Amino acid sequence: MENHIYIGRSVGGVMTNQLFTKRPDDLITTLSETYPLIGNLFVPIEEYSAAMRELASAGSLRALAYEQTKGGKRHE
């Protein structure tokens, strides 16, 4: 199994930096109805450092996914 961490804002029952023993595909499907890019914020632990750098990079897919979760706004 590959451990994953959620690096976005706390939304829909998932908390910032919450750990998962596997990618929570059912949860991602549910959250994607409101936040279409949220799947990009669930990353394998091994990719955490690189994902955090990408999150800080304006315009990156992870940064856009993070922005979607601000204040419940939906951007497509």
Side-chain angles (χ1 to χ4, degrees), residues 20-71:
F20 297 87
T21 56
K22 63 178 184 153
R23 186 172 168 86
D25 293 323
D26 292 340
L27 176 61
I28 293 169
T29 298
T30 300
L31 292 172
S32 292
E33 293 173 12
T34 304
Y35 311 104
L37 299 176
I38 201 162
N40 294 289
L41 299 175
F42 291 85
V43 298
I45 295 294
E46 298 80 22
E47 297 175 20
Y48 178 78
S49 294
M52 292 304 291
R53 284 191 300 274
E54 186 180 347
L55 189 64
S57 179
S60 72
L61 188 56
R62 290 194 206 281
L64 293 173
Y66 188 83
E67 288 297 315
Q68 267 187 0
T69 64
K70 276 187 170 179

Side-chain angles (χ1 to χ4, degrees), residues 1-21:
M1 273 189 243
E2 186 175 67
N3 294 325
H4 282 70
I5 186 167
Y6 172 70
I7 60 171
R9 296 176 178 273
S10 296
V11 293
V14 65
M15 298 181 303
T16 302
N17 295 325
Q18 185 170 344
L19 297 173
F20 297 87
T21 56

